[in-house]
Amino acid sequence: MPKTFIISALVEHKPGVLYKVSNMFWRRGFNIESVAIGTAEQEDLARMTITIKGEEKDAEQLVSQLEKLIDVLKAARLDPQKAVIRELALIKLNASDPKIRSDIFHYVEVFRGRIVDVSPTSAIVEIVGSKDKIDAFINLTRDFGLMEVARTGETALIRGPESVRIDV
Amino acid sequence: MRMSGAKALVESLEKERVEVIFGLPGGAIMPVYDVLLDSKVRHILVRHEQSAAHMADGYARASRKTGVCMATSGPGATNLITGIATAHLDSSPIVAITGQVSTSQIGLDAFQEADMIGIASPVTKYSFQPRRVEDIPVTVKKAFHIASTGRPGPVLIDLPKDIQMDSAEVEFPMKVEVRGYRTDYKPDPEKIGLAAEILANSERPLILAGGGVILSDASEELQKVAETILAPVATSLMGKGSIPEDHPLSIGIIGMHGSKEANRLIYEADTLLAVGCRFSDRTTGKLDEFCPASKVIHIDIDPAEIGKNRCVDLAIISDAKMALEALYRALTKTLTEKKDTAWSRKLKEMKETNNVKTENSGRDLTPPKILKELRRVLPPEAIVTTEVGQNQMWASLYFKVLKPRTFITSGGFGCMGYGFPASIGAKTAIPNVPVVDVAGDGSFMMTENSLATSVTENIPVTVIILNNRMLGMVAQWQRLFYNRRYSAVSLGDVPDFQKLAEAYGAEGLRIGSVEEFSRAVKESLKSEVTTVIDVPIDPEENVLPMVPAGYSLKDVIG
């Protein structure tokens, strides 16, 4: 049974690195569910959080293949039980009907989201949380006017003092 | 010191002690070629860039040095790719330098532009595109460091033309560090102890030696370990030569065209010590049924090779030489000397029975006879390269290699056209030993224009064409697995290789018997010019034994 793995990789923050990483996944036949990238604790480094679907035996091989790339300084699989995992989604909804509009406001509150933009006919909702939570919100609103979704993909850090980092 | 980018590049190469560059100029690399005129680095002009990469590769494999090839942007650079990919799959250290269009034109689909970093990434160990003159010396230093250390491989330096022409103050570093690159893998003493224990207690140990043994110069250590535990040594194609093939424990190569001994004994082994090999499909056959009864100990310098193809019981991430040295020490500490075991007696019997069998096909000029004769007339240190296909498999089955780095072949990529330019590269590196390319007619025709380089640059080699007027290996598969439906495999009687060789100023010979062959090879070794020996063979000749693709090693045909 394919499982979902989360990998945190510390990489050189320079042109071409994302290409090399994604190319490696493609070439080795791994399916990327999501990638989230941003500057890491050091300016010249970026952290990639990569979510992969695969077999248990693939996970270790994947980390080895990642670490083999010279632009990847460190990579490790994160245990979901011991990690903080978040995703951000911006969701644009059709809100021209006043009834639907009030429903949206209600749901956003339940999901601890925020309305970040409103127009006479639409609203943009920001939701931060687990992938499942965002999926649930999207499913809930799908029927009454889901217009557009933009998701960041999951980003994650290990809880506690342990970390995937290098010392300068 | 203030200098141009081109000058900085050439000086950096000189500081890496580069003696020779194989290449072909073009618009986007002309500033470098201009500087080369005043350099003591020898440039060898090829007729097609693919051959430049193969020559650099052959040079590297024969000499342990890093080979260098060079081309212009666009088509020149992409022509190198086949040779770079060949070096990549066989872990051969080369540095490829390509010109690139000027930085202001990159991305505009300029004349002769190709995204070389994008194209080369999957087939290089690393690729650089310096964008400032100041970065060139450190880039070159890093490139040679990455290419030659750890698991070796090809590195690309793609240099925009304006950066070659610009000038700046540059400094040449004495050493460099590459963040994120590790080569310091040393054997874990605990695991070595464990491996020694497993091997000492095994009744039927077998060693599988791969190209990594040759790359780390670990042949002597390998032999000592094998002799201590009386383990037969099979090699992968890339490992051929890691143990002298006339050694009593050598059982030849394993796999699709492996020896019967190797393919049979692997089924009975209770412990497999795999060193510097990656369990490729051509080596293992059907993976689920490969060494089903044995514990597997895997020594490799590349952590990503562990468990990639074959799950192992004990992995030792280390340079092969260091690991085998440590293993030998651990074994001699615990093991009382093994003199004779049921396993070693079995091996001996097996080899004796096989030796008694003589080929009696009636024909005179069979590939096995030719290759055995070739071994007889060549000194042990002679270097043999091969093309790809039947010629390669006949050579691997019947030509006994006695020293490491004397058998050079495209194992992983299986690149036709490799052997002849690789032989020129090898001869350039080691000019005082005979270099012979065992070729097929199909492969030789892919890079035969290297005859021009060989003759004009005065690098004499011997080419033996096992000429069956066929793309022989494809024909063999069509014969065996496609009901003799021959599709696009007949090459006809063209060209006349004797005349072709002469047209290039080389020597061409056609022979009709083993005696003539023997004489021709001996003469060619004395010749100051490249000799092409055309050996007509039966087009119906198969390479046997063989294991059909996807079958297990015990399903041997022939």
Side-chain angles (χ1 to χ4, degrees):
Chain A
M1 263 295 281
K3 282 169 63 177
T4 302
F5 305 108
I6 297 173
I7 290 162
S8 182
L10 199 58
V11 306
E12 297 279 359
H13 197 2
K14 62 183 191 191
V17 177
L18 175 60
Y19 167 81
K20 287 178 188 176
V21 169
S22 61
N23 192 280
M24 186 281 288
F25 284 114
W26 150 251
R27 202 168 83 70
R28 304 274 174 194
F30 295 109
N31 188 22
I32 302 177
E33 294 284 299
S34 78
V35 187
I37 317 169
T39 314
E41 53 278 8
Q42 284 161 249
E43 231 175 56
D44 55 349
L45 299 181
R47 182 172 303 283
M48 297 175 91
T49 307
I50 307 157
T51 310
I52 297 284
K53 264 216 166 94
E55 303 293 330
E56 181 64 40
K57 69 172 174 57
D58 295 336
E60 222 174 295
Q61 170 63 200
L62 191 58
V63 172
S64 302
Q65 290 291 354
L66 256 178
E67 284 211 305
K68 185 174 167 177
L69 298 177
I70 291 169
D71 288 327
V72 175
L73 277 65
K74 214 164 184 184
R77 191 173 150 191
L78 301 189
D79 178 351
Q81 307 298 320
K82 294 181 186 160
V84 176
I85 306 164
R86 293 286 183 277
E87 182 171 5
L88 180 141
L90 293 175
I91 299 154
K92 190 185 285 181
L93 299 164
N94 186 340
S96 36
D97 181 326
K99 163 80 175 72
I100 288 177
R101 218 176 166 85
S102 81
D103 278 355
I104 288 173
F105 279 58
H106 175 63
Y107 292 143
V108 167
E109 204 172 305
V110 172
F111 276 79
R112 296 179 194 215
R114 287 199 314 150
I115 309 269
V116 289
D117 180 68
V118 179
S119 81
T121 55
S122 70
I124 296 178
V125 178
E126 169 198 284
I127 305 236
V128 175
S130 71
K131 182 174 176 297
D132 291 348
K133 177 178 160 184
I134 294 166
D135 286 346
F137 184 84
I138 290 170
N139 284 334
L140 187 69
T141 52
R142 194 175 293 281
D143 293 340
F144 57 86
L146 185 68
M147 289 169 72
E148 218 176 347
V149 174
R151 299 172 70 154
T152 60
E154 287 170 301
T155 191
L157 285 179
I158 310 176
R159 289 180 194 276
E162 205 187 316
S163 55
V164 183
R165 66 189 303 264
I166 55 158
D167 299 318
V168 213
Chain B
M1 220 181 309
R2 194 171 179 84
M3 62 177 72
S4 72
K7 178 92 173 126
L9 176 79
V10 174
E11 280 211 9
S12 300
L13 295 174
E14 285 170 348
K15 285 185 196 304
E16 293 300 319
R17 296 199 189 84
V18 172
E19 290 162 353
V20 56
I21 296 173
F22 304 93
L24 196 146
I29 193 74
M30 282 175 65
V32 174
Y33 270 88
D34 186 61
V35 174
L36 262 189
L37 260 190
D38 302 322
S39 158
K40 54 183 188 296
V41 179
R42 178 183 181 190
H43 180 268
I44 291 176
L45 179 63
V46 296
R47 300 300 185 269
H48 186 285
E49 292 87 349
Q50 180 189 342
S51 294
H54 291 332
M55 286 177 198
D57 180 342
Y59 177 93
R61 294 196 209 192
S63 70
R64 299 180 180 82
K65 295 181 204 157
T66 298
V68 181
C69 56
M70 189 153 76
T72 189
S73 65
T78 55
N79 277 349
L80 281 180
I81 286 292
T82 302
I84 292 174
T86 304
H88 187 58
L89 273 193
D90 288 345
S91 307
S92 185
I94 66 171
V95 170
I97 297 159
T98 52
Q100 180 55 278
V101 301
S102 291
T103 45
S104 60
Q105 291 184 303
I106 289 177
L108 303 181
D109 299 325
F111 178 66
Q112 293 195 326
E113 184 189 358
D115 168 18
M116 279 313 289
I117 302 297
I119 292 171
S121 279
V123 293
T124 49
K125 195 168 164 188
Y126 200 73
S127 40
F128 293 96
Q129 190 182 67
R131 294 281 185 115
R132 298 181 331 150
V133 176
E134 300 89 307
D135 295 339
I136 291 173
V138 69
T139 301
V140 173
K141 193 98 199 146
K142 281 183 181 174
F144 278 79
H145 175 57
I146 292 171
S148 61
T149 52
R151 178 179 182 171
V155 176
L156 172 79
I157 303 174
D158 190 45
L159 195 55
K161 189 172 183 182
D162 56 330
I163 309 301
Q164 298 169 40
M165 294 190 294
D166 284 355
S167 289
E169 284 290 326
V170 294
E171 272 175 52
F172 295 92
M174 293 300 283
K175 55 180 203 177
V176 287
E177 244 179 76
V178 183
R179 192 162 67 165
Y181 177 58
R182 267 193 73 184
T183 58
D184 55 340
Y185 296 107
K186 292 197 178 71
D188 176 346
E190 210 171 296
K191 288 186 171 176
I192 291 287
L194 209 54
E197 200 183 309
I198 296 170
L199 287 166
N201 291 326
S202 72
E203 284 173 13
R204 299 181 304 281
L206 192 139
I207 298 176
L208 171 56
V213 175
I214 292 173
L215 285 166
S216 79
D217 293 321
S219 294
E220 208 178 299
E221 290 76 6
L222 174 83
Q223 210 169 307
K224 275 160 58 179
V225 168
E227 285 163 0
T228 309
I229 54 173
L230 287 182
V233 180
T235 70
S236 68
L237 180 61
M238 292 308 296
K240 191 174 162 73
S242 56
I243 182 163
E245 291 191 297
D246 57 356
H247 190 285
L249 289 170
S250 164
I251 52 172
I253 70 161
I254 202 168
M256 180 175 274
H257 287 291
S259 75
K260 280 189 176 163
E261 288 95 329
N263 284 350
R264 199 176 308 157
L265 287 177
I266 191 90
Y267 275 86
E268 295 171 30
D270 62 359
T271 306
L272 178 71
L273 173 64
V275 193
C277 76
R278 58 188 173 87
F279 298 106
S280 85
D281 56 304
R282 286 303 196 256
T283 295
T284 64
K286 194 175 180 188
L287 201 53
D288 306 343
E289 292 171 26
F290 177 69
C291 64
S294 54
K295 275 198 173 143
V296 179
I297 304 167
H298 189 187
I299 299 173
D300 206 289
I301 195 159
D302 180 355
E305 284 306 330
I306 306 301
K308 185 184 84 181
N309 293 340
R310 175 64 158 85
C311 299
V312 296
D313 300 284
L314 179 63
I316 299 169
I317 298 170
S318 164
D319 166 68
K321 193 182 179 81
M322 279 195 268
L324 288 171
E325 226 166 42
L327 189 56
Y328 174 67
R329 263 184 277 120
L331 280 167
T332 46
K333 239 183 257 169
T334 56
L335 197 67
T336 46
E337 199 183 345
K338 281 192 180 181
K339 277 221 170 104
D340 214 359
T341 61
W343 181 237
S344 71
R345 280 196 301 276
K346 176 168 190 156
L347 167 68
K348 217 171 150 195
E349 272 163 36
M350 219 171 175
K351 287 186 104 173
E352 274 163 15
T353 357
N354 217 15
N355 277 343
V356 175
K357 280 188 217 155
T358 49
E359 308 134 43
N360 219 346
S361 72
R363 282 191 302 273
D364 186 25
L365 274 182
T366 64
K369 283 185 192 170
I370 292 161
L371 287 153
K372 285 179 182 173
E373 184 60 17
L374 181 65
R375 176 70 287 170
R376 218 179 55 76
V377 297
L378 287 183
E381 69 275 13
I383 294 170
V384 166
T385 65
T386 80
E387 301 294 341
V388 165
Q390 284 187 313
N391 63 84
Q392 179 186 32
M393 292 301 122
W394 278 318
S396 69
L397 276 165
Y398 300 107
F399 184 82
K400 286 198 188 312
V401 175
L402 306 175
K403 286 173 183 293
R405 291 186 187 270
T406 61
F407 185 75
I408 295 175
T409 193
S410 170
F413 206 49
C415 182
M416 287 173 73
Y418 171 78
F420 180 41
S423 74
I424 295 172
K427 182 75 180 175
T428 310
I430 323 240
N432 49 358
V433 306
V435 179
V436 176
D437 175 36
V438 173
D441 44 334
S443 277
F444 182 65
M445 276 189 265
M446 289 199 179
T447 49
E448 67 184 22
N449 54 20
S450 288
L451 278 168
T453 302
S454 176
V455 170
T456 55
E457 296 281 344
N458 194 22
I459 310 165
V461 296
T462 301
V463 180
I464 296 164
I465 303 177
L466 299 174
N467 185 356
N468 53 13
R469 280 84 64 205
M470 281 276 177
L471 297 170
M473 191 58 96
V474 183
Q476 173 168 336
W477 283 45
Q478 288 176 352
R479 194 149 52 237
L480 296 174
F481 312 121
Y482 290 83
N483 205 18
R484 300 185 86 88
R485 283 163 53 83
Y486 292 118
S487 178
V489 287
S490 173
L491 296 170
D493 283 329
V494 286
D496 178 330
F497 286 110
Q498 200 174 351
K499 284 187 185 156
L500 177 88
E502 284 165 3
Y504 277 109
E507 199 155 335
L509 298 167
R510 183 167 300 116
I511 58 102
S513 68
V514 173
E515 289 73 41
E516 277 177 44
F517 171 74
S518 198
R519 216 173 319 133
V521 173
K522 282 183 202 155
E523 267 169 37
S524 78
L525 300 187
K526 284 182 241 151
S527 172
E528 283 176 9
V529 65
T530 286
T531 308
V532 178
I533 305 173
D534 185 8
V535 186
I537 59 164
D538 187 340
E540 293 276 309
E541 195 94 42
N542 288 327
V543 182
L544 294 172
M546 98 167 271
V547 176
Y551 280 75
S552 81
L553 297 185
K554 59 177 187 285
D555 302 320
V556 183
I557 303 176

